Amino acid sequence: MAGWGRVMTAGLCLWAAAATAQPLTLDEARARLPDADRYSLAVENEGLAPDAVQELAALIAGAIGQDHFYGAVAAHLPAGGTRLAISMRLAHHSGPAAERAVLADCEADRPADASPCRIIARILPETPPEDPIEVSSAAAHMLADLPDDAEGPVHLALSGGSAAWAAWLGQGSQASALEECNAAAIAAGGPADCQIVVDDTR
């Protein structure tokens, strides 16, 4: 499947969300959550035959699994090849973070004589609220499913550059969430870049 090009949305929703400047309460975060069960898949289609676009979309959709957004797919074309070599990243907390990660993966696998790596698809929330919070679908599920009668502080920490996150409930939850999230970010090969995005001290 050779070729690159413009984004084909075909009724799918693309959107950009502003980063959270200050931690939110649990109620504020829930009001800004996208639907964790629904996602949009936008595939670049210029230079691809319609059946190749459908094949690529089906391949990506079949590999996505439960943790949808934010994700990105990158590819390069091997020298003399006719099929793209594909890399995919899922479950990040923003579109740009997923794109940076998957491009790094693609470049690490790309032979010197292959075509440059390009983003060929993006996995985003389908129906964001007016002022969305940027979290992965897994973190969105956790926030939505947390019992309303949960006692004690609630803290959610997210990595800006990886899929790492951690949520803790109870005393000491802020430090625990940051420690667990940063450990996961480091284990993923990145820096300890986690920040608290939900700070609810009910």
Side-chain angles (χ1 to χ4, degrees):
M1 293 181 293
W4 311 101
R6 59 188 176 84
V7 171
M8 178 193 69
T9 57
L12 301 176
C13 177
L14 293 178
W15 60 285
T20 302
Q22 297 294 331
L24 304 172
T25 67
L26 182 58
D27 287 343
E28 290 170 339
R30 283 174 163 171
R32 295 170 58 177
L33 285 177
D35 185 340
D37 291 320
R38 300 183 65 83
Y39 66 92
S40 70
L41 173 61
V43 179
E44 297 192 2
N45 69 327
E46 186 173 316
L48 294 178
D51 59 341
V53 173
Q54 294 299 322
E55 180 185 350
L56 178 59
L59 174 68
I60 295 169
I64 286 176
Q66 295 297 313
D67 293 335
H68 309 136
F69 53 81
Y70 290 84
V73 182
H76 64 266
L77 185 64
T82 59
R83 297 186 68 84
L84 300 175
I86 294 173
S87 301
M88 181 165 65
R89 282 289 190 114
L90 301 170
H92 283 252
H93 307 296
S94 73
E99 292 182 27
R100 287 192 297 270
V102 79
L103 284 172
D105 291 344
C106 182
E107 286 295 342
D109 293 337
R110 184 179 70 87
D113 57 354
S115 71
C117 289
R118 296 277 299 274
I119 298 294
I120 62 170
R122 295 171 176 85
I123 301 103
L124 303 172
E126 182 185 67
T127 53
E130 182 176 346
D131 184 23
I133 178 177
E134 289 186 315
V135 294
S136 66
S137 55
H141 264 300
M142 183 281 303
L143 290 172
D145 295 343
L146 191 68
D148 292 332
D149 59 355
E151 296 182 359
V154 176
H155 288 91
L156 170 66
L158 302 179
S159 167
S162 73
W165 65 281
W168 279 72
L169 172 68
Q171 296 302 316
S173 57
Q174 179 170 341
S176 296
L178 280 172
E179 181 179 0
E180 181 179 317
C181 181
N182 280 325
I186 292 171
D193 62 350
C194 294
Q195 295 184 350
I196 295 293
V197 296
V198 174
D199 182 345
D200 193 308
T201 54
R202 294 170 293 161

